[in-house]
Amino acid sequence: MGITHRREGQEKKAPEKAERTRRRRSGVAEGFAGRSSPLALSSTGQWKNTEVSMAKESRPSPPMLSVYLYIPNVIGYLRVLMNCVAFGVCFSNKRLFSVLYFLSFVFDGIDGWCARRFNQVSTFGAVLDMVTDRISTACLLVILSNVYRPGMIFLLLLALDIASHWFQMYSTFLSGKVSHKDVKDSTSWLFKLYYGYRPFMAYCCVACEVLVSSVKRCSALSFLLVVSLFGWTIKQAVNVIQMKTAADVCVLYDIAKKA
């Protein structure tokens, strides 16, 4: 009986204790407010610094124009312009086409360096770079499919290039990564070597361009073609691995969403 009465007394005192605690916190908060204190009591009973919160809310965001005018993005616009001119004269002036296409290819490496050097990495720049690469490669392969036979080989390479990079970009966003080149968690050593070691990736990309542009001059450039063929083969293998790895990420995302 004694235990029962003691429990009932504690239950009656609990609401009163909670009310006293609430009044005490409210009084302290009012006291701070009267002294223009930067501290305030949040809805969860936690103290927060209102000056820091207001500073974060009032901090101006960078204007959109500044992102569009990032140095690497401006270089990207120049690449687009050079590619437009290059493919516009590809049949009438092959020398000019080669020069402009080569410069666009070189600028593809320069804009990435500028983005890191000047801390101007942006999602817009990454998408612009990817779209420019895919369109220029697609245009080149379509032209080659009309010049050389069998043209289906170039169209298959075009399909592989677009499919693998599309899967990779989409899986990147699903994984919450910043760049499609972030493949540290991949199980393929070749895939990690390609994206993790820039000189190796540059060699493979250059090899593809040289092999495609020199396909009719095997006798004069036999050694160069052999070296380029090795890099071209690795690049296509990476495309296949990239598409399979990215497809696995998409499937795992679907499974996790239904679980």
Side-chain angles (χ1 to χ4, degrees), residues 13-23:
K13 292 180 179 179
E16 297 176 0
K17 184 177 180 181
E19 179 65 18
R20 286 198 303 271
T21 302
R22 187 190 66 78
R23 290 178 180 177

Side-chain angles (χ1 to χ4, degrees), residues 173-191:
F173 288 115
L174 289 180
S175 303
K177 297 178 180 178
V178 178
S179 172
H180 70 283
K181 297 178 181 179
D182 183 2
V183 296
K184 293 187 291 292
D185 55 349
S186 175
T187 58
S188 172
W189 64 269
L190 182 59
F191 197 38

